[in-house]
Amino acid sequence: EAGVAQSPRYKIIEKRQSVAFWCNPISGHATLYWYQQILGQGPKLLIQFQNNGVVDDSQLPKDRFSAERLKGVDSTLKIQPAKLEDSAVYLCASSPGGDSTDTQYFGPGTRLTVL
Amino acid sequence: GQNIDQPTEMTATEGAIVQINCTYQTSGFNGLFWYQQHAGEAPTFLSYNVLDGLEEKGRFSSFLSRSKGYSYLLLKELQMKDSASYLCAVKGAAGNKLTFGGGTRVLVKP
């Protein structure tokens, strides 16, 4: 079974530029998550989708971050404009159905450096 | 909200045992997860506890006490490849949101 795919793996941009990340979850997984992991810290949830609807985006900085999952499969996360403090690894995860026993499976992440 | 605490770093010798503690304060509880994360890689699932007690899975065991808001991950017969960060994560009641601790970096020495 193929795992969670993410691209690009690495991205370097200057502050105030825009960037987009892509995620393809495990086939059949209804729930998709985007996390931000700053070096030396645990992942922090940015947004959770159930199919193509948003379940939780309470920690998403909506003035600069946006995410969509239009057809309930792939998802994109965008930052516009980027700030220095956005330098982090952006992890995508998916789980089968979103119930309490669900295990989340993570992709390899995109390492973003903002200069 | 959720508050999860675990030690920042631990060092142990190859072949030994290490216990990583995790304490949590949550407004709702739907289970506790442990993940392993090697440097530069994605977190990988190790264990899930929702009821009190010990869950054993090979060299790794995880314990949960809901009344104490406490869990530990026990790594036995340590191998060099066990050098990694270990993340404790609690699933809350609302929307099954997973909140992670800061991670414990374990260094295994020969």
Side-chain angles (χ1 to χ4, degrees):
Chain A
E1 178 182 273
V4 177
Q6 289 187 248
S7 67
R9 290 296 311 276
Y10 304 91
K11 190 74 178 179
I12 301 174
I13 61 173
E14 307 230 333
K15 60 183 179 184
R16 289 187 290 273
Q17 285 186 322
S18 302
V19 65
F21 313 127
W22 174 82
C23 172
N24 181 239
I26 292 172
S27 178
H29 279 194
T31 311
L32 185 147
Y33 314 79
W34 282 103
Y35 289 87
Q36 180 193 59
Q37 186 174 25
I38 292 171
L39 188 65
Q41 299 181 18
K44 182 184 85 171
L45 181 69
L46 293 175
I47 189 166
Q48 175 182 343
F49 292 95
Q50 181 79 11
N51 296 308
N52 60 351
V54 175
V55 174
D56 186 338
D57 63 357
S58 57
Q59 298 190 97
L60 187 74
K62 298 180 187 63
D63 57 334
R64 298 184 300 106
F65 286 64
S66 64
E68 60 184 14
R69 194 185 184 199
L70 292 175
K71 295 183 179 178
V73 181
D74 293 6
S75 176
T76 55
L77 176 71
K78 296 179 182 177
I79 307 175
Q80 180 179 9
K83 292 186 175 181
L84 295 176
E85 59 260 36
D86 298 332
S87 293
V89 175
Y90 290 85
L91 294 164
C92 180
S94 70
S95 67
D99 68 32
S100 61
T101 61
D102 258 5
T103 296
Q104 295 181 26
Y105 297 92
F106 286 81
T110 297
R111 182 177 296 277
L112 174 67
T113 302
V114 182
L115 303 175
Chain B
Q2 320 271 50
N3 188 40
I4 301 168
D5 289 312
Q6 49 181 132
T8 305
E9 195 168 293
M10 303 180 75
T11 302
T13 305
E14 193 175 13
I17 298 173
V18 70
Q19 178 174 314
I20 306 168
N21 296 323
C22 172
T23 58
Y24 63 90
Q25 295 169 312
T26 62
S27 54
F29 182 82
N30 257 330
L32 187 144
F33 292 76
W34 284 96
Y35 282 82
Q36 180 191 60
Q37 187 176 28
H38 284 101
E41 298 182 13
T44 55
F45 170 75
L46 288 179
S47 68
Y48 169 68
N49 295 69
V50 67
L51 299 176
D52 290 352
L54 187 69
E55 295 277 344
E56 296 188 81
K57 195 184 289 186
R59 295 189 297 113
F60 293 2
S61 303
S62 57
F63 171 84
L64 176 67
S65 169
R66 288 171 297 171
S67 63
K68 295 182 179 178
Y70 168 70
S71 172
Y72 68 72
L73 180 70
L74 194 69
L75 285 61
K76 294 179 276 190
E77 300 169 20
L78 279 172
Q79 301 176 8
M80 299 299 291
K81 67 179 182 180
D82 297 330
S83 291
S85 285
Y86 291 85
L87 300 163
C88 172
V90 173
K91 182 169 277 191
N96 292 306
K97 177 180 173 179
L98 203 60
T99 301
F100 284 84
T104 299
R105 188 177 163 200
V106 172
L107 178 62
V108 180
K109 294 185 173 179

